[in-house]
Amino acid sequence: MTKKSIGYETKQPETVCKDDKCPYHGTLPVRGIVISGKVISAKMQSTVVVEREILKYVKKYERYSKIKRTYMAHSPPCIAPKEGDYVTIAECRPISKGVSFVVIEKR
């Protein structure tokens, strides 16, 4: 089977899956922003919760504050990240009410 390019420089998974919502083996196009973060929950079926920390400068106090943001992302079976893994997610079309991202790489 030929490897499909998704438009981003990522490591492609070695295993092959039959998921229609997989950017490598299915028909789901990815576009927009790319985010890196840590998987904090993998309890849902084919969905993971990814958390990213941002340091934001607060001018009034002349300090940085940590901001945490969570994203729900579809997890294809060929990548299958677990809790504690660092992943890269990319924006895609809305898959469900809260899921508009898909995991494209496990680092």
Side-chain angles (χ1 to χ4, degrees):
M1 181 175 207
T2 61
K3 299 213 177 199
K4 178 180 165 185
S5 173
I6 62 168
Y8 296 104
E9 293 291 323
T10 59
K11 292 185 295 185
Q12 296 197 355
E14 287 100 27
T15 59
V16 177
C17 68
K18 294 180 180 171
D19 187 11
D20 192 39
K21 297 179 187 120
C22 177
Y24 296 103
H25 308 110
T27 59
L28 184 73
V30 293
R31 77 268 170 111
I33 63 174
V34 177
I35 298 168
S36 297
K38 183 179 181 180
V39 176
I40 57 171
S41 175
K43 296 176 184 173
M44 290 179 276
Q45 182 178 346
S46 71
T47 304
V48 294
V49 179
V50 179
E51 180 181 71
R52 133 177 123 153
E53 278 191 0
I54 306 165
L55 287 176
K56 184 178 178 190
Y57 185 71
V58 182
K59 189 175 177 182
K60 179 179 178 181
Y61 300 112
E62 298 178 359
R63 297 194 166 94
Y64 287 93
S65 66
K66 269 188 196 175
I67 298 173
K68 292 182 180 180
R69 174 82 196 269
T70 59
Y71 301 90
M72 291 198 325
H74 177 71
S75 172
C78 58
I79 299 173
K82 299 176 190 68
E83 260 183 60
D85 289 344
Y86 285 91
V87 296
T88 304
I89 60 175
E91 188 180 6
C92 63
R93 66 171 175 79
I95 295 173
S96 68
K97 180 181 176 182
V99 179
S100 293
F101 289 90
V102 64
V103 178
I104 58 171
E105 182 181 28
K106 184 165 57 169
R107 297 184 285 127

